[in-house]
Amino acid sequence: MPDSELLDQLLALMTRLTEETEGYLDRQDDPQLWYNRGYANGMAAALRQLGHSERIDQTVLADPYEVARDQNHLPWGKAYEHGHDMGTKETFEVMPAR
């Protein structure tokens, strides 16, 4: 699979997860939303490190989670952090460096 096709698929997944988790900051009752948003943001972080910042910026807006970083010790914050770690790790596993 060419890298551009894989990148398109990853961006589509990241976009879908971002859209599905809209408003997650107000939903501490649903850690899965936080995990999924963390996963999408982890994907974005990995893709930025791989040199795809321009495509990320064209695809999704910066996430507001940074303003709520103090929640990482709570269940939903832990879910976000785990999702972020997994999104980063798995993106690096499938996307080759440029």
Side-chain angles (χ1 to χ4, degrees), residues 38-62:
Y39 195 96
N41 289 333
M43 292 176 69
L47 290 171
R48 283 183 192 287
Q49 289 179 42
L50 291 168
H52 301 288
S53 294
E54 187 175 320
R55 289 289 305 273
I56 298 297
D57 293 340
Q58 295 169 352
T59 305
V60 294
L61 297 174

Side-chain angles (χ1 to χ4, degrees), residues 10-98:
L10 291 172
L11 291 171
L13 173 60
M14 185 184 65
T15 299
R16 191 187 89 219
L17 288 172
T18 300
E19 290 170 355
E20 289 174 355
T21 57
E22 193 65 37
Y24 75 104
L25 287 169
D26 299 323
R27 295 288 313 271
Q28 286 93 11
D29 63 323
D30 191 348
Q32 186 65 51
L33 282 178
W34 286 69
Y35 177 90
N36 290 353
R37 187 58 162 243
Y39 195 96
N41 289 333
M43 292 176 69
L47 290 171
R48 283 183 192 287
Q49 289 179 42
L50 291 168
H52 301 288
S53 294
E54 187 175 320
R55 289 289 305 273
I56 298 297
D57 293 340
Q58 295 169 352
T59 305
V60 294
L61 297 174
D63 189 47
Y65 181 72
E66 293 302 319
V67 300
R69 281 301 230 192
D70 62 338
Q71 299 195 31
N72 62 359
H73 65 287
L74 299 166
W76 52 88
K78 288 179 183 178
Y80 176 95
E81 294 297 329
H82 181 60
H84 191 281
D85 292 346
M86 294 305 294
T88 302
K89 174 183 171 287
E90 291 176 355
T91 299
F92 279 129
E93 288 175 357
V94 300
M95 188 68 187
R98 285 203 212 191

